[in-house]
């Protein structure tokens, strides 16, 4: 299927690795010129080069912390009028809420709720004026099924989800859609780091914990980031103009509910 977005521009946040990079790659494959943001220049440049070589699309790399006002400005300076915005940032650390002070909470809310809101605020009116816009927020399956040790993520991302539910109905008549993608377990550095922590805490070999996670998923495996990137690209397609305000779980069927 031709997604009808050749020649469009995209700002993809937190995209030198993992799910963000997969989204950038899938969009670039559709002929979208992508700007990718991450803090660490080495892996960022490597990702930019990999996407260029694989797709032939224009890839601009911005080394910045997207959760800071300066970082957001640097990203917007590189791509002031994106047709597509993919919001993403590192997830907050696990822990017990008794140990989290105000600063810890503000950092989580800044990264996983306010950063996407402020980036949307910066680009949405331009999208409305041009009559095309696609905004995808990478959140987490924890929005639907909270993970006890990820209280910062459960809370901050649910705040974003509530905000999106309202605003996504205000933009769609201008062909600007806003949706959330909720990843379950995906084969990324962050996932493996979390498995390593869980294994250490349980005093078990990492391989055992990983095998158990795979076996416990209805699909019998964890997700490939490429599968995630392809769904993101579809939500950014011309054809997806009647889809807005939705929360898409992509988790191999892990979430057990009927709806
Ligand atoms: P990952 O493999 O660790 O990649 C994270 C990417 O984000 C890297 O490119 C990293 O580069 C960049 N990044 C992190 N913080 C940033 C910041 N402040 N500013 C700019 N770039 C930043 O992580 P992932 O697994 O793809 O996860 C992406 C998001 O999905 C996270 O919020 C995670 O919590 C959520 N999620 C993931 C899973 C999963 O199974 N993978 C499941 C549920 C939710 P630098 O470090 O160089 O900045």
């Amino acid at each position: 299927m031709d997604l009808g977005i050749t020649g469009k521009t995209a700002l993809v946040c937190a995209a030198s690795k993992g799910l963000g990079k997969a989204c950038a790659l899938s969009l670039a494959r559709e002929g979208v010129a992508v700007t990718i943001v991450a803090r660490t220049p080495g892996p960022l440049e490597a990702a930019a080069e990999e996407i260029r070589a694989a797709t032939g699309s224009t890839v601009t790399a911005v080394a910045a912390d997207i959760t800071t006002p300066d970082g957001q400005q640097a990203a917007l300076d590189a791509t002031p009028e994106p047709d597509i915005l993919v919001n993403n940032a590192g997830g907050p650390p696990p822990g017990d809420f008794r140990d989290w002070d105000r600063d810890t909470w503000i950092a989580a809310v800044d990264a996983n709720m306010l950063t996407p809101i402020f980036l949307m605020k910066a680009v949405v009116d331009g999208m409305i004026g041009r009559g095309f816009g696609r905004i995808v927020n990478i959140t987490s399956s924890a929005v639907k099924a909270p993970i006890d040790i990820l209280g910062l993520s459960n809370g901050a991302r649910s705040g974003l989800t509530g905000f999106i539910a309202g605003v996504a109905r205000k933009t769609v008549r201008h062909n600007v859609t806003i949706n959330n993608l909720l990843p379950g377990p995906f084969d990324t550095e962050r996932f493996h780091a979390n498995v390593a922590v869980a294994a250490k805490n349980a005093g078990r070999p990492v391989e055992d914990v990983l095998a158990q996670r795979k076996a416990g998923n209805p699909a019998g495996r964890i997700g490939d980031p490429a599968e995630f990137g392809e769904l993101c690209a579809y939500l950014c397609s011309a054809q997806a103009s009647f889809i807005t305000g939705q929360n898409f779980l992509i988790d191999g069927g892990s979430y057990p509910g009927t709806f």
Side-chain angles (χ1 to χ4, degrees), residues 3 131-135 168-180 233-248:
L3 298 186
F132 180 93
R134 299 285 182 266
I135 299 174
R169 272 85 185 177
K170 304 291 283 183
T171 60
V172 64
R173 72 178 53 223
H174 306 286
N175 193 21
V176 177
T177 67
I178 313 177
N179 291 289
N180 304 318
Y234 178 72
L235 287 176
C236 297
S237 72
Q239 291 91 332
S241 55
F242 205 50
I243 304 172
T244 200
Q246 300 305 303
N247 292 284
F248 293 98

Side-chain angles (χ1 to χ4, degrees), residues 76-189:
L76 291 166
D77 286 347
T79 178
E81 295 194 321
D83 303 304
I84 294 164
L85 169 64
V86 179
N87 278 312
N88 185 30
D96 184 309
F97 81 96
R98 294 169 190 80
D99 299 327
W100 298 332
D101 59 15
R102 179 176 169 75
D103 288 347
T104 311
W105 272 106
I106 294 297
V109 169
D110 255 342
N112 297 114
M113 179 179 172
L114 297 180
T115 293
I117 290 173
F118 281 108
L119 287 171
M120 264 182 271
K121 182 179 165 187
V123 303
V124 77
D125 287 331
M127 290 176 172
I128 288 171
R130 295 189 300 279
F132 180 93
R134 299 285 182 266
I135 299 174
V136 174
N137 303 300
I138 299 178
T139 64
S140 173
S141 61
V143 171
K144 267 193 89 112
I147 300 167
D148 59 356
I149 56 166
L150 292 179
L152 291 165
S153 173
N154 302 337
R157 295 188 201 274
S158 294
L160 175 66
T161 304
F163 170 75
I164 296 298
V167 78
R169 272 85 185 177
K170 304 291 283 183
T171 60
V172 64
R173 72 178 53 223
H174 306 286
N175 193 21
V176 177
T177 67
I178 313 177
N179 291 289
N180 304 318
L181 272 178
L182 284 57
F186 273 87
D187 192 357
T188 67
E189 277 190 20

Side-chain angles (χ1 to χ4, degrees), residues 14 16-17 19 39-40 65-66 88-89 91 157 183-184 186 188 190:
S16 66
K17 297 176 183 170
L19 304 179
R39 293 166 300 183
T40 318
D65 182 341
I66 199 66
N88 185 30
R157 295 188 201 274
F186 273 87
T188 67
R190 176 179 165 91

Side-chain angles (χ1 to χ4, degrees), residues 191-219:
F191 174 81
H192 287 286
N194 286 344
V195 169
V197 170
K200 190 170 172 223
N201 290 344
R204 296 174 51 202
V206 174
E207 302 73 43
D208 285 6
V209 175
L210 183 57
Q212 188 184 29
R213 293 274 176 100
K214 289 180 179 175
N217 188 291

